[in-house]
């Protein structure tokens, strides 16, 4: 899990506040975009071990939930095949001296692959889904409980068997903090890769505090082992999508 720890440290270093975009809710998406192309289900570096299980669990359930909401779904994973072909056909994509990627040209290829996939499959919108890691916020205010919260999920931030009374005073210097939390995301994009909606559902913490007050990563056998917990995260994401309030124009 060393890769995961490095990823989390980088994540926490660069995370910052972001403005809330004017995302579309389920009703608005269904009204304007009938057919959804399911492009991918991605798992971040450090969690590759769990990728097969998570994909097998979530992909059919996402498709089912979309169809229940009124969408028609299409497998659009061929997008990546076409993108790979375009990259091979473009000799100037990387600088011959430095090997640096020409990002502007890559974006053009990306949009071209999206456009061709749209036309081939007759889709109106694309869905990029997967698992990611974010900051789960906690407080040492006992009135709020000893839980960390993120994307609608809440979990005890102390390891099983740790007595809060024995450790809180010694290791909490500040009143609030963060721990890494895994969540499932649904990212809806138009055919020019512009954001239409983004929602998430918290799954579980990746680390908790031990009785010495140290944040300790969960071992692999205790991660993503509860199917009810996995299913609840997807429910949270779709509930979030349905409840997005549209801004009045």
């Amino acid at each position: 899990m060393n890769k995961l720890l490095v990823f989390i440290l980088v994540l926490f270093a660069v995370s910052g506040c972001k403005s809330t975009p004017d995302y579309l809710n389920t009703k608005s998406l269904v009204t304007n975009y009938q057919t959804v192309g399911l492009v991918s289900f991605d798992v971040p570096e450090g969690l590759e071990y769990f990728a097969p299980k998570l994909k097998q669990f979530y992909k059919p359930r996402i498709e089912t939930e979309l169809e229940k909401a009124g969408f028609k779904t299409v497998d659009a994973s061929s997008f990546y095949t076409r993108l790979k072909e375009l990259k091979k056909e473009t000799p100037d994509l990387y600088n011959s001296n430095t090997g640096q990627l020409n990002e502007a040209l890559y974006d053009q290829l990306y949009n071209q692959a999206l456009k061709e996939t749209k036309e081939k499959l007759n889709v109106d919108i694309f869905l990029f889904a997967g698992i990611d890691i974010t900051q789960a916020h906690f407080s040492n205010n006992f009135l709020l409980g000893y839980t960390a919260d993120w994307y609608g999920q809440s979990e005890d931030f102390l390891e099983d068997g740790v007595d809060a009374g024995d450790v809180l005073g010694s290791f909490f210097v500040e009143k609030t903090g963060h721990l890494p939390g895994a969540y499932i995301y649904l990212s809806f994009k138009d055919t020019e890769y512009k954001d239409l909606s983004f929602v998430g559902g918290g799954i579980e913490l990746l680390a908790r505090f031990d009785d010495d007050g140290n944040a300790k990563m969960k071992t692999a056998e205790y991660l993503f082992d509860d199917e009810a917990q996995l299913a609840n995260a997807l429910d949270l994401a779709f509930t979030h999508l349905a409840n997005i309030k549209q801004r009045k124009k």
Side-chain angles (χ1 to χ4, degrees), residues 26-38:
T26 307
K27 182 179 179 181
S28 295
L29 286 171
V30 173
T31 300
N32 295 284
Y33 308 96
Q34 296 293 312
T35 305
V36 180
L38 307 179

Side-chain angles (χ1 to χ4, degrees), residues 24 38 44 56 66 73 88 102 119 122 132 144 157 163 165 182 190 210 215 239 242 247:
L24 300 179
L38 307 179
Q56 182 179 17
L66 288 171
T73 60
K88 287 184 177 180
N102 184 329
E119 294 173 350
N122 195 27
D132 209 345
L144 300 177
F157 57 68
D163 186 344
D190 69 10
D210 62 18
T239 298
R247 295 176 183 174

Side-chain angles (χ1 to χ4, degrees), residues 186-198:
L186 306 174
S187 179
F188 294 87
K189 306 275 190 178
D190 69 10
T191 52
E192 295 182 351
Y193 201 66
K194 294 179 181 177
D195 290 316
L196 293 174
S197 202
F198 181 96

